[in-house]
Amino acid sequence: MWEILLVNVLLSITGFFVILNVVPKFKDMFLKAKLSGIDMNKSDKPEIPEATGVITSCIFLIVMFIFIPVPFSKHWFNKEWGFPHQEFVQFVAALLSICCMVLLGFADDVLNLKWRHKLLLPTVASLPLLMVYYTNFNSTTIIIPKPLRSFFGSEMDLNVLYYVYMGMLAVFCTNAINIYAGINGLEVGQSIVIAASLILFNIFELNGDCWTNHLFSLYFMIPFFFTCLALHQLNKYPASVFVGDTFCYFSGMTVAVVAILGHFSKTALLFFIPQIVNFIFSLPQLFHILPCPRHRLPRLNPKTGLLDPSVFQFKEMKLNTVSRLVLNIYKMFGLVRVEHVSEDADISQSTNCTLINFVLKFMGPTHEKTLAIYLLVLQVLCSVAAFAIRYPLASLFYDR
Ligand code: UD1
Ligand code: MG
């Protein structure tokens, strides 16, 4: 086992250096192809290559393709053991789903798809994976947490709902990373922390009964971690490349794939606490209960060089009852700051409902680099909390 992991780590480190070397060489090509975006939080508004996540995802896939024979090598030399076809299909289907997601994510970067398509893409890409889950495991029974056992019994077979849940997990992981973005290094930084947390969790679980699932997850998570680490060098403040939706989809799908096939989706979700909070906080804007501008990323104050929360404007009179209720609740809990812009024209403005803007509202104007550090420290603290929930507190809810 350890020698296989060693090969995996060595291949991943090679991938790390290839990315650092190759991505800068593609910059001009991306700019010529108009695959670029304006870095909105810089005073000179530079145009930066976007969707470079497609190069790093391809390098990740190449690392994985080269690695495929390694875990199965012992079966080639010892024919008596029989080839583990199921494991092999699982491996290949996982890569197929990630590969589909990269393709669809790149399509999004090139074509700027609508939100409804963004929700559909991960569902489509997760189909090969769900098919393999069906043929290999088809286990759709969940263990009910102790406090709820008097209502639902100790186990419940969710049947087709379990597949819906897994499809939704892929949609959530991909989009949650994509909407928790907008300052240099955040998309990749959060992926690094999530990958590192999952690697730690998998290593802890290598001594448990389900060690093969966690070993399988490590085969994917280690190269993923090094891929993100290399991309972060280029995307951190001041960014020389943007990662694009391609990366966000690739990242979310890779985590969803290992969580589904490794049977630890609940634990994986624990490492998404900031993303879950940001998603729930964003819901009124995502569902257009409150106005949602095209970009909700913080805005640069050119005078101070610091970031302020971005805002959306609205007419108080035009808000319906639900919108007014939501805004008042958010205001009451100090989640948003609402101000009158013009008394005569009845125009007000509120800070956008994202975790990034909330942190800015809480901390006051902050430099982009410092804000990225704060948000990544928050991600790390949430991972520490996730481990506390997963290990000491889990016994309150489950037998093991
Ligand atoms: C999501 C968010 C949007 C946010 C955007 C930023 C929702 C519903 N959508 O949209 O509010 O503004 O991500 O990633 O929450 N950019 C920067 N600096 C960065 C990263 C991005 O200026 O560090 C800008 C660039 O102009 C870049 C653009 O954001 O071109 C990328 O936006 P895109 O990924 O297309 O936005 P969405 O994912 O649709
Ligand atoms: Mg995006």
Side-chain angles (χ1 to χ4, degrees):
M1 177 177 87
W2 296 109
E3 59 283 2
I4 298 178
L5 281 176
L6 182 67
V7 175
N8 187 285
V9 171
L10 291 178
L11 283 172
S12 307
I13 293 175
T14 313
F16 172 90
F17 286 111
V18 173
I19 291 174
L20 282 186
N21 204 1
V22 164
V23 174
K25 294 196 174 123
F26 274 88
K27 272 165 58 180
D28 284 342
M29 235 185 262
F30 272 62
L31 288 173
K32 266 192 210 138
K34 295 268 171 260
L35 283 169
S36 56
I38 305 289
D39 196 344
M40 299 191 214
N41 288 326
K42 305 288 179 297
S43 46
D44 54 345
K45 307 272 183 260
E47 194 170 349
I48 287 181
E50 188 148 11
T52 48
V54 73
I55 311 173
T56 50
S57 332
C58 286
I59 294 172
F60 167 87
L61 286 170
I62 294 170
V63 165
M64 292 306 293
F65 292 159
I66 297 173
F67 177 69
I68 291 178
V70 181
F72 300 97
S73 56
K74 61 178 187 281
H75 296 279
W76 293 353
F77 301 117
N78 198 333
K79 300 270 187 233
E80 288 158 27
W81 290 349
F83 192 79
H85 289 281
Q86 283 203 342
E87 247 176 73
F88 185 65
V89 168
Q90 186 173 310
F91 205 115
V92 177
L95 288 177
L96 178 62
S97 278
I98 297 173
C99 204
C100 284
M101 199 66 258
V102 173
L103 175 71
L104 296 173
F106 192 55
D108 184 10
D109 271 326
V110 176
L111 304 173
N112 270 320
L113 299 177
K114 300 216 161 64
W115 266 98
R116 54 179 180 274
H117 299 136
K118 291 188 189 227
L119 294 182
L120 198 69
L121 300 182
T123 318
V124 174
S126 62
L127 288 179
L129 193 70
L130 298 188
M131 194 63 212
V132 167
Y133 189 89
Y134 179 75
T135 52
N136 275 15
F137 312 106
N138 196 22
S139 142
T140 51
T141 305
I142 55 159
I143 312 283
I144 304 289
K146 281 183 204 169
L148 300 177
R149 284 190 189 162
S150 47
F151 304 107
F152 300 104
S154 58
E155 284 185 356
M156 190 196 270
D157 188 3
L158 290 184
N159 223 312
V160 75
L161 280 182
Y162 197 78
Y163 287 89
V164 175
Y165 160 71
M166 288 190 289
M168 281 169 61
L169 184 76
V171 175
F172 174 76
C173 291
T174 48
N175 284 292
I177 294 179
N178 190 26
I179 66 170
Y180 190 41
I183 57 168
N184 292 179
L186 184 59
E187 292 109 312
V188 199
Q190 62 186 295
S191 305
I192 292 177
V193 179
I194 294 171
S197 312
L198 283 171
I199 290 175
L200 262 184
F201 168 64
N202 291 145
I203 292 175
F204 292 159
E205 290 294 316
L206 279 180
N207 293 323
D209 299 339
C210 304
W211 65 275
T212 47
N213 292 341
H214 294 281
L215 186 60
F216 173 83
S217 170
L218 281 174
Y219 293 162
F220 284 76
M221 276 299 117
I222 296 171
F224 174 64
F225 173 77
F226 280 99
T227 302
C228 295
L229 213 57
L231 189 55
H232 189 255
Q233 296 301 312
L234 306 164
N235 181 242
K236 69 181 181 193
Y237 182 92
S240 61
V241 300
F242 281 149
V243 297
D245 291 348
T246 316
F247 174 81
C248 300
Y249 290 150
F250 156 72
S251 170
M253 195 65 185
T254 309
V255 173
V257 158
V258 296
I260 290 171
L261 293 178
H263 302 268
F264 53 82
S265 57
K266 278 178 291 172
T267 307
L269 278 178
L270 277 179
F271 297 125
F272 275 77
I273 294 174
Q275 288 72 15
I276 294 174
V277 170
N278 183 54
F279 175 73
I280 296 173
F281 188 22
S282 297
L283 279 175
Q285 286 196 299
L286 297 180
F287 284 103
H288 293 285
I289 294 171
L290 294 174
C292 184
R294 167 68 184 89
H295 281 291
R296 302 189 298 160
L297 50 80
R299 59 178 180 191
L300 176 74
N301 180 342
K303 288 191 200 119
T304 57
L306 303 176
L307 298 186
D308 289 328
S310 61
V311 295
F312 65 89
Q313 293 198 333
F314 59 94
K315 288 193 169 187
E316 197 97 33
M317 293 292 286
K318 292 236 164 109
L319 289 184
N320 62 30
T321 322
V322 181
S323 314
R324 196 163 298 146
L325 180 73
V326 171
L327 199 61
N328 281 337
I329 294 175
Y330 276 2
K331 212 164 76 176
M332 199 167 77
F333 285 102
L335 300 176
V336 292
R337 184 168 53 226
V338 182
E339 289 160 345
H340 275 294
V341 180
S342 136
E343 290 289 348
D344 310 338
D346 173 40
I347 296 177
S348 302
Q349 67 182 23
S350 161
T351 51
N352 278 310
C353 314
T354 67
L355 186 56
I356 308 176
N357 285 316
F358 173 72
V359 170
L360 271 178
K361 176 183 170 287
F362 187 71
M363 306 293 293
T366 309
H367 191 270
E368 186 174 4
K369 187 178 174 184
T370 320
L371 181 61
I373 295 172
Y374 287 162
L375 293 171
L376 293 181
V377 168
L378 177 71
Q379 185 85 36
V380 173
L381 293 177
C382 288
S383 277
V384 173
F387 276 110
I389 296 170
R390 176 61 180 78
Y391 287 107
L393 300 182
S395 56
L396 295 178
F397 297 96
Y398 294 101
D399 294 325
R400 199 175 73 87

